[in-house]
Amino acid sequence: MHTLRARGTMKPEIAAAVGFLSRFLRIKGHVNDRQLQTFSQSLQDILAEQYQHHWFPDRPCKGSGYRCIRINHKMDPLVSQAGQRIGLSIQQLYGLLPSELTLWVDPFEVSYRIGEDGSICVLYESQPTATGGAPSASTSSATTAASAAPGGLPPLVDSRISCKEELLLGRTSPSKAYNMMTVSS
C-alpha cells in the first residue's frame, strides 16, 4: 500500500481519536489554546507515523492491538510523547486523562472504553465504499444498510465482527453485559 494513500485514508480516524483526547485536556483547563493545538498536531503526526505500516482498510482488525491507545497503570507512550512536547509530565497527563482508558483507532471506526468493564462507545464510524474511494462517515453505529445481499442476507461488511467484539468474545474473565453506545458530536 502506498504510504501517502495510507496516511490519507486514516486521517478522519486519527482526527477523531486526537479530538477525543484533546477535549480532556481542554475540559480540565490546565493547558492554554496554543498548547492544546500543539498537543493535537503533535499527536496526529505521531499517530500517522506510527500507524503508516499498520493500517489495513481491507482488513480493519489487522494491527488493531498495535493501534490501540491504552492508559492504565502505564501511560501510553505516544500520548506521553505528545504531552512532553507541551511540557506535561506523565503525572500531569494522569491527572488530565481518565485513569483507565482504551481507545481503538481502526479503519472505519474509532471507539473507546473507560474502565476495564465499561461500555464501548463509538466516536467515529464510516463505511468503506465499493469503489475504493473515500469512506462515507456515519454518526450512528446502529445504522444498517437498506439493501440486502442476494438471498436476503445482510451485506458482508455489516456482518463482520468488529475488533472490539473479538476482544469481548475472547475474554477469559466471567462474561458481563456489555452495552454498545454511539457518541456523536
Side-chain angles (χ1 to χ4, degrees), residues 9 18 23 59 61 76 86 93 137 142 177:
T9 60
V18 169
R23 280 190 287 278
R59 293 176 35 204
C61 290
D76 185 273
I86 61 168
L93 284 169

Side-chain angles (χ1 to χ4, degrees), residues 26-40:
R26 185 180 329 123
I27 289 169
K28 300 281 183 158
H30 295 280
V31 296
N32 63 40
D33 289 341
R34 186 179 77 29
Q35 287 176 305
L36 188 63
Q37 188 163 1
T38 301
F39 173 84
S40 296

Side-chain angles (χ1 to χ4, degrees), residues 102-164:
T102 306
L103 182 61
W104 292 276
V105 184
D106 295 320
F108 314 113
E109 183 179 296
V110 178
S111 54
Y112 71 95
R113 180 181 67 200
I114 296 177
E116 283 301 312
D117 297 320
S119 297
I120 295 175
C121 304
V122 177
L123 291 172
Y124 170 86
E125 185 177 50
S126 67
Q127 293 295 321
T129 61
T131 60
S136 57
S138 171
T139 57
S140 171
S141 65
T143 303
T144 57
S147 62
L153 297 173
L156 182 60
V157 71
D158 290 338
S159 64
R160 73 173 171 86
I161 294 176
S162 75
C163 303
K164 277 61 67 189

